């Protein structure tokens, strides 16, 4: 039994992914109801691809709306504009969907699998030994439950009780700048399907569309705001929009007004024995780039298939050792990028502002630079080149390289009813994919761990190679057709 603590987007993704792969799971949350706040607004294409492997991406698409691009204005002038239809994914848009809706859809998907979130249940304490974890849960009506579980998932957010119970340091700092947040309706000339970011001499203003004709407004207010300042009024928000935003915008009907400070923190290790951390429990950072929730959900996808293979006795427990190095490296990368973007946006130094605006407006005209921005935002550039699961033997394909994202392709022969690679990966097993080469006959001992398939020549994979693809659609390794033994050896090393 796995206990998932926290039913935010990360805990729900974790529970859904585990249950889909046949793992017994409980999920608890101390709150009586899920959030009604819009918080994280974007699901990026890579997360949609991973939800698609789970068979539920369309449920999210139906609940959101498609964001077609982002534009950056400086001094009222557009200095760069990127289009998400250039995303290197089957999903060529940013899915704009409030976090409250993301959590609703996840909870409904989980319910379809027969798992209900146990609400008003608080993880009080836990202790682990070699064989399991003993947990104390405070339930509704003051009831206490002592339970024994096999694995504990700390998906309990920035103030994680699991992280604190492990005594893990949340290393980093809190930025001094104060931010204003509004979830409001806006009348005036503002695109309904584009993110608008305004860099001004007074600070940054971001305007993001939300379904239902609403917009998320975020503005940095500098360092001189008192710590316990009350939420902004709609008039204060309007004044900032009028000062920094495109002309002619009127904000009204606020659903949510708030202030926040940015924390940039991360744990070193996402795992301690039978206890794992994921999402905000493991890393928090600036909302610039909108990567927080997506990164957390991808932590869950990374871990779920590994734990499922171990729980079902198909893989050695050592497979779990790859979770922390892989996701910690991604966490550091996201923290670094979001931090840099924030720092650039909030500088008050007029000379640096001028340099920034000239540099971005010049570089931003190049298609290659625009594509880099889109690749980074859409998270299709996240890779595991240094993972213990990644190998690059002599004779490996040049494209894609070990650790890279494995793009979905049509399979040459329908395999057990699976027409596409990502459908095959939904079984939670590795795929041994021959591209423009004969199918690999897997020995019976490896068939619980992997399945073989073939694809015709495609732009996405060098032909004449065999690819070992992980269940979360990353490439573990590839070989030429005469070196298939190396792939079988890599699988045997993972297998129980
Ligand atoms: C104002 C605001 C704006 C944001 N905007 C963006 C954005 O634009 N883009 C973006 O990507 N991210 C944004 N974020 C961040 C995003 O909301 C988080 O990254 C995301 O919610 C993390 O999900 P999580 O599941 O890890 O944690 P959470 O959503 O925090 O969920 C943790 C859950 O654990 C539960 N819990 C905590 N302790 C216990 C316990 N002891 N026992 C049982 N349950 C417990 C909590 O009740 C909660 O439901 C924003 C956040 C805030 C606050």
């Amino acid at each position: 039994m796995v206990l998932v603590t926290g039913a935010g987007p990360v805990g729900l993704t974790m529970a859904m992914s585990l249950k889909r792969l046949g793992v017994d799971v409980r999920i608890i949350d101390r709150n009586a109801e899920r959030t009604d706040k819009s918080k994280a607004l974007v699901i990026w294409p890579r997360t949609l691809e991973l939800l698609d492997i789970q068979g539920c991406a369309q449920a999210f698409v139906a609940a959101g709306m498609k964001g077609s691009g982002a534009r950056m204005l400086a001094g009222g002038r557009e200095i760069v504009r990127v289009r998400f239809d250039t995303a290197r994914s089957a999903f060529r848009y940013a899915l704009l969907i409030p976090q409250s809706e993301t959590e609703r859809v996840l909870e409904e998907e989980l319910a379809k699998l027969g798992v209900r979130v146990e609400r008003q249940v608080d993880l009080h304490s836990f202790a682990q030994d070699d064989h399991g974890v003993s947990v104390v849960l405070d339930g509704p009506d003051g009831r206490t439950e002592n339970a024994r579980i096999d694995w504990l998932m700390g998906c309990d957010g920035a103030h994680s009780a699991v992280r604190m119970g492990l005594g893990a340091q949340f290393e980093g700092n809190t930025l001094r700048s104060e931010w204003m947040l509004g979830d409001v309706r806006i009348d005036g000339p503002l695109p309904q399907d584009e993110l608008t970011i305004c860099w001004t001499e007074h600070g940054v203003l971001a305007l993001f569309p939300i379904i239902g004709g609403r917009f998320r407004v975020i503005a940095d207010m500098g360092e001189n705001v008192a710590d316990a300042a009350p939420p902004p009024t709609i008039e204060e928000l309007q004044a900032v929009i009028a000062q920094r935003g495109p002309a002619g915008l009127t904000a009204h009907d606020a659903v949510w007004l708030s202030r926040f400070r940015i924390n940039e923190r991360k744990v070193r290790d996402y795992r301690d024995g039978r206890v794992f951390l994921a999402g905000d429990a493991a890393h928090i950072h600036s909302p610039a780039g909108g990567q927080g929730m997506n990164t957390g959900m991808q932590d869950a996808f990374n871990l779920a298939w590994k734990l499922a293979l171990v729980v079902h006795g198909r893989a050695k427990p050592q497979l779990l050792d790859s979770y922390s190095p892989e996701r910690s490296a991604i966490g550091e990368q996201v923290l670094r990028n979001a931090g840099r973007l924030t720092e650039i946006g909030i500088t008050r130094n007029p000379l640096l502002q001028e340099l920034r605006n000239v540099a971005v407006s010049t570089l931003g005209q190049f298609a290659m630079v625009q594509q880099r921005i889109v690749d980074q935002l859409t998270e299709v550039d996240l890779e595991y080149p240094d993972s213990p699961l990644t190998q690059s033997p002599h004779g490996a394909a040049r494209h894609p390289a070990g650790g890279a994202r494995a793009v979905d392709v049509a399979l040459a022969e329908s395999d057990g009813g699976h027409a596409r690679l990502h459908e095959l990966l939904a079984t939670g097993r590795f795929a041994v994919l021959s591209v423009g080469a004969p199918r690999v006959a897997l020995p019976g001992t490896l068939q619980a761990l992997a399945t073989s398939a073939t694809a015709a020549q495609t732009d996405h994979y060098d032909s004449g190679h065999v690819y070992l693809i992980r269940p979360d659609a990353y490439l573990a390794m590839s070989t030429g057709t005469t070196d298939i033994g190396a792939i079988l050896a890599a699988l045997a090393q993972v297998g129980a």
Side-chain angles (χ1 to χ4, degrees):
M1 169 66 71
V2 178
L3 177 69
V4 177
T5 305
V10 177
L12 289 166
T13 303
M14 184 76 82
M16 178 184 75
S17 310
L18 286 168
K19 186 64 186 176
R20 231 179 252 287
L21 295 174
V23 177
D24 282 338
V25 58
R26 278 180 76 177
I27 175 166
I28 59 167
D29 199 289
R30 61 156 60 129
N31 286 344
E33 286 170 15
R34 65 172 171 260
T35 187
D36 61 355
K37 300 283 187 291
S38 53
K39 296 203 265 183
L41 285 180
V42 183
I43 300 184
W44 293 109
R46 182 53 176 161
T47 309
L48 285 171
E49 288 178 357
L50 292 162
L51 288 166
D52 197 37
I53 292 176
Q54 305 271 320
C56 60
Q58 287 313 319
F60 293 86
V61 175
M65 65 181 193
K66 296 177 181 174
S68 65
R71 61 182 185 144
M72 185 158 283
L73 313 179
R77 190 173 65 86
E78 184 177 299
I79 56 170
V80 64
R81 185 181 215 129
V82 293
R83 308 273 322 160
F84 298 139
D85 57 7
T86 66
R88 293 185 296 129
S89 169
F91 299 92
R92 294 194 183 84
Y93 49 84
L95 184 68
L96 300 170
I97 173 171
Q99 186 169 324
S100 48
E101 279 294 284
T102 297
E103 291 186 20
R104 177 186 64 77
V105 176
L106 282 167
E107 203 171 333
E108 285 175 7
E109 289 297 317
L110 193 57
K112 284 186 207 161
L113 298 167
V115 180
R116 187 181 57 79
V117 177
E118 298 173 44
R119 295 209 172 268
Q120 293 177 286
V121 179
D122 197 323
L123 176 78
H124 178 270
S125 58
F126 65 91
Q128 62 168 320
D129 54 50
D130 289 348
H131 307 289
V133 188
S134 301
V135 292
V136 180
L137 307 178
D138 290 337
D141 314 325
R143 270 180 284 123
T144 296
E145 178 190 349
N146 292 287
R148 182 81 175 157
I149 52 163
D150 300 303
W151 306 93
L152 175 62
M153 298 293 167
C155 305
D156 46 350
H159 305 285
S160 169
V162 175
R163 186 184 67 237
M164 290 178 210
L166 289 174
Q169 292 299 309
F170 211 21
E171 293 169 1
N173 59 305
T174 306
L175 301 192
R176 289 208 37 77
S177 61
E178 170 84 25
W179 294 72
M180 188 186 271
L181 176 152
D183 180 342
V184 294
R185 287 184 184 278
I186 295 186
D187 294 337
L190 195 57
Q192 294 282 333
D193 66 341
E194 268 189 324
L195 318 180
T196 301
I197 296 135
C198 309
W199 281 343
T200 76
E201 58 187 301
H202 307 288
V204 67
L205 172 76
L207 302 154
F208 295 167
I210 313 178
I211 46 173
R214 283 151 50 198
F215 282 85
R216 158 70 56 75
V217 183
I218 297 181
D220 91 277
M221 304 310 294
E223 298 183 356
N224 299 320
V225 183
D227 270 348
T233 61
I234 186 85
E235 290 76 22
E236 285 176 85
L237 193 78
Q238 173 62 35
V240 175
I241 295 172
Q243 183 187 48
R244 304 181 187 179
L249 302 183
T250 308
H252 58 98
D253 288 322
V255 176
W256 184 29
L257 293 166
S258 185
R259 293 184 196 273
F260 65 94
R261 283 191 199 275
I262 293 172
N263 277 282
E264 295 183 327
R265 295 178 189 279
K266 186 180 151 295
V267 290
R268 269 192 204 175
D269 218 326
Y270 287 28
R271 178 190 182 194
D272 182 339
R274 293 179 165 271
V275 183
F276 296 86
L277 297 171
D280 277 18
H283 48 80
I284 48 170
H285 45 79
S286 157
Q291 314 278 295
M293 182 186 74
N294 287 264
T295 306
M297 289 170 76
Q298 290 180 34
D299 292 342
F301 291 124
N302 181 291
L303 180 53
W305 67 268
K306 294 172 183 172
L307 189 58
L309 286 175
V310 170
V311 165
H312 294 315
R314 295 175 183 167
K316 297 186 186 80
Q318 285 80 354
L319 177 60
L320 301 172
D321 294 342
S322 61
Y323 170 64
S324 184
E326 286 184 353
R327 294 312 298 172
S328 180
I330 297 286
E332 269 162 31
Q333 190 177 325
V334 172
L335 234 90
R336 215 172 26 245
N337 290 343
R340 215 177 280 150
L341 203 57
T342 307
E343 214 176 298
I344 294 172
I346 65 176
T347 180
R348 293 290 196 276
N349 180 319
L351 184 64
L352 289 181
Q353 286 181 346
E354 186 58 30
L355 285 173
R356 169 196 72 189
N357 297 349
V358 171
V360 171
S361 65
T362 309
L363 291 172
Q365 305 314 312
F366 292 103
M368 208 174 70
V369 173
Q370 291 182 4
Q371 190 62 49
R372 276 283 320 264
I373 297 171
V374 172
D375 286 354
Q376 196 170 313
L377 284 174
T378 55
E379 300 192 332
V380 298
D381 66 344
L382 297 180
E383 308 190 330
Y384 301 124
D386 303 319
S387 163
L389 296 182
T390 301
Q391 295 183 39
S392 298
H394 182 70
R398 286 160 62 90
H399 177 73
R405 185 176 66 114
V407 175
D408 196 17
V409 286
L411 299 178
E413 315 152 39
S414 163
D415 191 309
H418 304 301
R420 305 196 64 85
L421 172 65
H422 283 188
E423 285 175 24
L424 196 61
L425 297 178
T427 60
R429 287 182 292 171
F430 286 82
V432 177
L433 179 71
S434 305
V435 178
R439 175 192 291 267
V440 174
L442 290 174
T445 49
L446 293 180
Q447 285 176 9
L449 189 60
T451 180
S452 65
T454 54
Q457 289 195 14
T458 139
D459 288 347
H460 300 296
Y461 296 87
D462 288 348
S463 195
H465 286 81
V466 180
Y467 296 84
L468 179 59
I469 298 171
R470 304 158 32 144
D472 55 354
Y474 285 94
L475 182 66
M477 66 186 291
S478 63
T479 65
T481 51
T482 52
D483 301 317
I484 289 155
I487 285 188
L488 301 183
L491 275 171
Q493 208 179 340
V494 171

